[in-house]
Amino acid sequence: MRLAIVGATGAVGHEFLRVLENSPLQFSELRLYASPRSAGSKLTFKGKEITVEVMPEGPIAADVILASAGGSISKTYAPVWVEGGAVVIDNSSAFRYDADVPLVVPEINGDAALKHKGIIANPNCTTAIAAVAVYPLHQRFKVKRMIVSTYQATSGAGAKGMDELLHETRRYFDGETVGNQVFAHPIPFNLIPHIDSFQDNGYTKEEMKVVWETHKIFGDDSFKVSCTAVRIPTLRAHSEAITLELEKPATPEEAREILSKAPGVQLVDDPGNKVYPMPLNASGKYDVEVGRIRASLVFDGGLELFVSGDQLLKGAALNAVQIAEYLQAKGALPSGEVAAG
Amino acid sequence: MRLAIVGATGAVGHEFLRVLENSPLQFSELRLYASPRSAGSKLTFKGKEITVEVMPEGPIAADVILASAGGSISKTYAPVWVEGGAVVIDNSSAFRYDADVPLVVPEINGDAALKHKGIIANPNCTTAIAAVAVYPLHQRFKVKRMIVSTYQATSGAGAKGMDELLHETRRYFDGETVGNQVFAHPIPFNLIPHIDSFQDNGYTKEEMKVVWETHKIFGDDSFKVSCTAVRIPTLRAHSEAITLELEKPATPEEAREILSKAPGVQLVDDPGNKVYPMPLNASGKYDVEVGRIRASLVFDGGLELFVSGDQLLKGAALNAVQIAEYLQAKGALPSGEVAAG
């Protein structure tokens, strides 16, 4: 199987390589593509250097393409790549809401990936992180209402987001004026309740993605979701405070029992010993940390919880690779020995 | 009228002096007290230096004492000061839940202050900031459920909290190990979903304060409140994402109309122009910024909003001084010319 990464030099691209180094995914060729500006640079995979190529205007000779080069690139080229015979696992929001494009978190709806017509969408990072924690509870207790407040890291805006946080924080300490280019306002020692563009209903697109995508991934839009998405001055790993109204009453003990066995979840819930989800620990980790599980004070039989998950991993690169692994395990992709191109 | 500040050298103490410089409160004497460790230092009030005195073991010769030296000092000494003839406006949580101690936000329940028996409690900072925004909506639409997620600044732990954020962030840039003494974990580029101690129900005391105190300040415990309290790496000004279920359906336009006239509130709600509440702008400001007002997606006729308010001002010093101003305006305190001791 021939594998290609488009957008290889970005923050997610970097994580693709690290995740693939430890993935059971079998492939015989790995090619890396980026814009002309970034092409020519060399990236390391399993100790070998791979030169990044300029993304071609036409088809790419690959069986699977992991795309993370932004919505407009995907919108234009993904159909061309599919035409050329590739399966595209797309990290952008370009196709997520198309009825014939599966939106997949393998732990939840891996089977949906098998019904693809060439493109499989990788969910929004915030949604993916909440979904792995909430879905096992939804299966058992059925969610009626889900209220999410996010604490999102600057990595959500890619490497340049993290760079801006660090660079501008240094400027703060140097007594210089703190500015902003990536974010709408200066981010050091601040927060910004504005991620992606505002919609007519007053919610940002980021907030609506959580609504739309949770419904699509769960295959169930019978429950209500609301979200407030806030950028905070952290580097990577998004956190979320989640309040759940449930159809069947749940206890925190039952929730802990379920989540302790849930795939993709690490139960981190021992507050007496100062153990709860935090970006400091969730960064670089595959599993989403879930903790602060307690009986809701507003919904009888409901739950409140706090999650932290690496935005670049489960929120992006890891989930996309897991989709490819799932397809290959189900015999829906060619297999092949690992050999860096 | 003789005024005294106990805990004058702390972060809130510092704000007391700045707020009093611009307050209509009339007083003839201002004396500053602190622990023996901090006594002897000089603080400036209206251009004059005042030497901080050691807090005496017995009564303090003052008509009003603004106390912000922590719960155990207040617990022990406030009754002594009251015995000595003073009215104590206490910033700690020591007396907030006593049935005969009014808990006051002047814009909401100023009249309750008039019924004091010597001690008036100043609310928890997070609660005060949410309360000024939510109460005008409660009056008109009646809250049924209120779900709060907080984004709390390091100033909530006093000057030493802010110092730790700055100091440890500098260490991060210097390549040194980032540590923590004030907070439970390192705070630079991290968040900590743990403020104050954990209760048996899994909520922190900080979270329960929002529940208990909102009910007491509103004089109404018929609605349900829940809170997730999270420390984030900001310096001052707490922010909160608030979801409201309401008895009478509200529109965002009605809410904006009400909040544009609400005392203590500044409507900051023009997302199209990137205008919404943020710590960067709310710090140092008396009014609580309220914005991101939108129809709730989980409660028909409900609202979602985002607030940012200076934790050291409306969340502490300002509110306490406003209580004294209220008492004086109602003739419940002696008046007197302003003259720094």
Side-chain angles (χ1 to χ4, degrees), chain B residues 236-285:
Chain B
R236 57 191 279 178
H238 290 354
S239 303
E240 305 174 45
I242 303 175
T243 298
L244 297 175
E245 183 181 26
L246 301 168
E247 219 145 81
K248 298 174 200 156
T251 66
E253 293 68 31
E254 289 172 312
R256 269 182 221 111
E257 170 70 14
I258 290 165
L259 289 168
S260 69
K261 297 169 185 162
V265 164
Q266 186 187 4
L267 191 66
V268 177
D269 197 15
D270 183 10
N273 288 310
K274 302 181 186 175
V275 171
Y276 27 71
M278 290 195 302
L280 194 66
N281 300 327
S283 294
K285 193 183 275 187

Side-chain angles (χ1 to χ4, degrees), chain A residues 11 58 112 116 148 160 181 190 194 240 244 265 278-279 308 328:
Chain A
H116 73 80
V148 180
K160 66 186 189 306
Q181 293 192 316
N190 191 27
H194 173 187
E240 305 175 43
L244 297 175
V265 164
M278 290 194 301
S308 249
Q328 195 171 62

Side-chain angles (χ1 to χ4, degrees), chain B residues 4-302:
Chain B
I5 297 172
V6 173
T9 55
V12 175
H14 178 85
E15 297 302 323
F16 272 137
L17 291 174
R18 298 293 78 76
V19 169
L20 285 168
E21 283 181 332
N22 298 297
S23 163
L25 191 71
Q26 294 195 301
F27 50 95
S28 52
E29 186 183 283
L30 175 61
R31 293 180 73 170
L32 309 180
Y33 297 98
S35 66
R37 192 168 44 85
S38 301
S41 62
K42 291 176 197 303
L43 297 175
T44 305
F45 178 73
K46 294 195 172 177
K48 278 183 172 176
E49 281 193 338
I50 307 179
T51 302
V52 179
E53 302 169 65
V54 178
M55 191 195 83
E57 294 287 318
I60 288 174
D63 299 299
V64 173
I65 297 172
L66 302 171
S68 189
S72 61
I73 294 284
S74 288
K75 200 85 191 165
T76 306
Y77 291 99
V80 178
W81 302 331
V82 171
E83 191 70 25
V87 174
V88 179
I89 301 173
D90 182 35
N91 197 48
S92 84
S93 63
F95 301 99
R96 286 184 195 149
Y97 315 116
D98 288 11
D100 59 354
V101 172
L103 179 67
V104 177
V105 174
E107 293 91 337
I108 299 173
N109 65 337
D111 280 5
L114 301 174
K115 296 171 199 144
H116 72 81
K117 293 177 179 169
I119 300 173
I120 299 166
N122 204 40
N124 164 264
C125 48
T126 307
T127 309
I129 288 162
V132 292
V134 172
Y135 187 70
L137 302 172
H138 180 62
Q139 281 186 294
R140 172 79 167 270
F141 305 111
K142 192 144 182 12
V143 171
K144 284 178 75 177
R145 287 186 171 90
M146 171 171 164
I147 297 143
V148 181
S149 300
T150 77
Y151 302 73
Q152 293 183 232
T154 51
S155 62
K160 64 186 190 307
M162 295 186 277
D163 289 347
E164 180 156 306
L165 172 60
L166 292 173
H167 180 74
E168 297 300 330
T169 305
R170 272 202 195 91
R171 286 177 62 89
Y172 177 95
F173 286 117
D174 292 345
E176 293 175 56
T177 307
V178 174
N180 59 293
Q181 294 192 317
V182 176
F183 300 111
H185 299 274
I187 186 70
F189 308 120
N190 192 26
L191 62 74
I192 308 173
H194 173 188
I195 301 177
D196 210 333
S197 54
F198 282 98
Q199 311 295 289
D200 288 344
N201 65 355
Y203 289 78
T204 59
K205 198 170 174 195
E206 181 77 4
E207 291 162 351
M208 293 313 298
K209 284 175 186 172
V210 173
V211 179
W212 299 327
E213 298 185 23
T214 303
H215 284 151
K216 183 162 177 175
I217 296 164
F218 286 14
D220 182 352
D221 63 359
S222 68
F223 59 96
K224 295 187 173 184
V225 183
S226 193
C227 181
T228 302
V230 180
R231 184 79 66 199
I232 65 165
T234 51
L235 287 164
R236 57 191 279 178
H238 290 354
S239 303
E240 305 174 45
I242 303 175
T243 298
L244 297 175
E245 183 181 26
L246 301 168
E247 219 145 81
K248 298 174 200 156
T251 66
E253 293 68 31
E254 289 172 312
R256 269 182 221 111
E257 170 70 14
I258 290 165
L259 289 168
S260 69
K261 297 169 185 162
V265 164
Q266 186 187 4
L267 191 66
V268 177
D269 197 15
D270 183 10
N273 288 310
K274 302 181 186 175
V275 171
Y276 27 71
M278 290 195 302
L280 194 66
N281 300 327
S283 294
K285 193 183 275 187
Y286 279 16
D287 283 345
V288 170
E289 295 191 348
V290 184
R292 295 291 328 268
I293 299 168
R294 56 211 198 277
S296 174
L297 299 177
V298 288
F299 296 121
D300 290 341

Side-chain angles (χ1 to χ4, degrees), chain A residues 27-103:
Chain A
F27 50 96
S28 51
E29 184 182 284
L30 174 62
R31 294 179 74 168
L32 309 179
Y33 297 97
S35 66
R37 191 166 46 84
S38 301
S41 61
K42 291 178 197 302
L43 297 175
T44 306
F45 178 73
K46 294 195 173 178
K48 278 184 173 177
E49 282 194 338
I50 307 179
T51 301
V52 179
E53 302 171 65
V54 178
M55 191 195 84
E57 294 287 318
I60 289 175
D63 299 298
V64 173
I65 297 172
L66 302 171
S68 189
S72 62
I73 293 283
S74 288
K75 199 85 193 164
T76 307
Y77 291 99
V80 178
W81 301 332
V82 171
E83 191 70 26
V87 174
V88 179
I89 302 174
D90 181 35
N91 197 46
S92 84
S93 63
F95 301 99
R96 286 183 195 148
Y97 314 117
D98 289 11
D100 59 354
V101 172
L103 179 68

Side-chain angles (χ1 to χ4, degrees), chain A residues 95-163:
Chain A
F95 301 99
R96 286 183 195 148
Y97 314 117
D98 289 11
D100 59 354
V101 172
L103 179 68
V104 177
V105 174
E107 293 91 336
I108 299 173
N109 65 338
D111 279 5
L114 301 174
K115 295 170 200 147
H116 73 80
K117 294 179 180 168
I119 301 172
I120 299 167
N122 204 40
N124 165 264
C125 47
T126 307
T127 309
I129 288 162
V132 291
V134 172
Y135 187 70
L137 302 172
H138 179 62
Q139 281 186 294
R140 173 79 166 270
F141 305 111
K142 192 147 180 11
V143 172
K144 283 178 74 176
R145 288 185 170 90
M146 171 173 165
I147 297 143
V148 180
S149 301
T150 77
Y151 303 73
Q152 293 183 233
T154 51
S155 61
K160 66 186 189 306
M162 294 186 276
D163 289 346

